[in-house]
Amino acid sequence: MAATWQSINFVSVGLIILSLWVCQVICRTLPDTSMVERHEQWMALHGRIYTEATEKDMRFKKFQENVAYIESVNNAGNRPYKLSVNKFADLTNEEFKAVRNGYKRTSSLEKSSDGLLSFRHANVSVVPSSMDWRKKGAVTPVKDQGECGSCWAFSAVAATEGINQLKRGKLISLSVQELVDCDVKGEDHGCQGGFMGDAFQFIQQNKGLAAEATYPYKGVHSTCNKAASHAAKKAASHAAQIKGYENVPVNSEKALLKAVASQPVSVAIDAGGFDFQFYSSGVFTGECGTDLNHAVTAVGYGVSVDGTKYWLVKNSWGSGWGENGYIRMQRDVSAMEGLCGIAMNASYPTL
């Protein structure tokens, strides 16, 4: 009898060892079940559909890598900002930059449209301790450029919306699509990128822009709708007329502060890093360089509860990114070009 029990125990132990070995082999080949569930939930939340199993597998692996990075940054707790698993979580950083950035840097400092390198805010000696043009009614809701490199147009339009509200007392959401379709001179090439200075010149020469309701955004470069553009010209005195534009002196956050204290300002930044891709909240302090590749709009500034000075920046990646579509970027850094190059190429429309 003893020998029989020993045989049974030996077989049981063997089965247990075999089961553990099989489990280890399977676990090495199957993805983390919880991560699979997270990916499925994320897909449902963002309406992501993959046409082929190979694509889904590839996107899952990228999602898994991005989630690991996001959680490592947040768990480290050594940065004043947080990242989130947002709608860009299944993209490589190269793919993200290809469809979400679209600023084309000029080879030299651009002149204002009247041919003078003027800066009307140069003599401003006192500025408010903080500014938020949203609270002044000069900022429209956050928009989404989609998979189109039209950030340059969104930036110029936001600044134009702001100056028109400040000068005429009425906030109107203006057409980004008109710039994408109709502004084809200089460095502006629809979804292939552009430059805010050229956009301001188009708005001036076109004698205004159509309202968003008249010429809605499509997220693709289409044939210019001349009828809607003509309607903009007729209504320009009521909607979006500008007289020209001016540049903020290069590499001067002090000059940029004077400008933003007076009106929303178009700025170019380096927004190509992983941390920018997944930014969620807090004052962003890097990682970024000065390879200007994205256009946004500075709509204010302030100081956080821990005393960090920041720029309040409106983006064009939808309200689900960042702080409801905005990012607070550290202000008054040691580098003269500002964090992510925010002080390197800034401009604003005049009216």
Side-chain angles (χ1 to χ4, degrees), residues 9 48 120 139 144 151 178 196 200 202 208 223 228 230 250 263 280 287 309:
N9 288 336
R48 188 75 87 250
R120 64 184 55 204
V139 183
D144 192 344
C151 60
E178 184 174 7
M196 295 85 79
F200 291 139
F202 172 86
T223 302
H230 179 68
V250 176
Q263 65 185 99
S280 175
E287 314 259 335
K309 296 179 180 180

Side-chain angles (χ1 to χ4, degrees), residues 19-257:
S19 298
L20 290 173
W21 178 80
V22 171
C23 179
Q24 289 177 350
V25 172
I26 293 175
C27 289
R28 290 193 193 103
T29 58
L30 292 178
D32 183 353
T33 302
S34 62
M35 187 60 67
V36 171
E37 293 175 349
R38 288 183 65 176
H39 186 224
E40 292 290 344
Q41 293 170 357
W42 176 87
M43 289 172 58
L45 177 64
H46 296 287
R48 188 75 87 250
I49 298 174
Y50 306 117
T51 57
E52 297 180 359
T54 53
E55 181 188 9
K56 183 176 182 179
D57 182 60
M58 183 271 288
R59 291 300 170 190
F60 169 77
K61 291 178 180 177
K62 178 49 58 180
F63 176 84
Q64 191 173 31
E65 292 174 6
N66 287 337
V67 169
Y69 174 77
I70 291 165
E71 292 183 343
S72 69
V73 169
N74 290 341
N75 292 336
N78 57 358
R79 308 183 194 191
Y81 59 90
K82 295 292 185 181
L83 308 182
S84 68
V85 183
N86 59 27
K87 63 183 177 181
F88 307 127
D90 69 341
L91 299 178
T92 67
N93 189 242
E94 290 72 22
E95 290 171 329
F96 168 77
K97 290 187 290 186
V99 298
R100 288 288 171 166
N101 295 340
Y103 169 82
K104 289 193 173 182
R105 187 177 185 178
T106 53
S107 58
S108 61
L109 179 64
E110 289 291 319
K111 293 183 178 182
S112 57
S113 57
D114 60 4
L116 300 175
L117 289 174
S118 56
F119 178 54
R120 64 184 55 204
H121 307 301
N123 295 324
V124 173
S125 58
V126 179
V127 298
S129 58
S130 64
M131 175 58 68
D132 186 341
W133 287 113
R134 297 175 301 182
K135 297 179 180 179
K136 305 289 186 179
V139 183
T140 59
V142 169
K143 304 172 183 179
D144 192 344
Q145 68 188 73
E147 296 185 359
C148 171
S150 54
C151 60
W152 59 276
F154 280 89
S155 174
V157 162
T160 301
E161 290 169 342
I163 193 63
N164 271 267
Q165 192 280 335
L166 293 175
K167 295 297 184 180
R168 295 189 172 135
K170 189 174 183 180
L171 183 64
I172 300 175
S173 183
L174 301 173
S175 176
V176 173
Q177 192 65 42
E178 184 174 7
L179 283 174
V180 172
D181 291 347
C182 306
D183 181 13
V184 293
K185 294 182 179 180
E187 296 192 54
D188 295 348
H189 301 284
C191 290
Q192 301 305 310
F195 175 61
M196 295 85 79
D198 289 341
F200 291 139
Q201 287 186 347
F202 172 86
I203 295 170
Q204 179 192 14
Q205 294 167 4
N206 193 55
K207 301 187 184 305
L209 282 177
E212 171 71 15
T214 301
Y215 201 152
Y217 188 66
K218 297 178 181 178
V220 293
H221 186 187
S222 304
T223 302
C224 180
N225 185 336
K226 295 183 179 180
S229 185
H230 179 68
K233 293 180 181 180
K234 292 176 64 176
S237 61
H238 303 291
Q241 186 181 24
I242 63 174
K243 291 184 178 179
Y245 79 98
E246 296 175 350
N247 295 290
V248 177
V250 176
N251 294 339
S252 173
E253 285 199 88
K254 291 183 178 179
L256 183 57
L257 184 68

Side-chain angles (χ1 to χ4, degrees), residues 253 268-270 284-290 311 328-333 335 337-343:
E253 285 199 88
I269 58 174
D270 180 349
F284 185 78
T285 56
E287 314 259 335
C288 60
T290 56
W311 296 108
R328 286 179 291 158
M329 298 176 61
Q330 187 178 15
R331 176 167 58 93
D332 281 356
V333 300
E337 61 267 20
L339 184 69
C340 305
I342 195 170

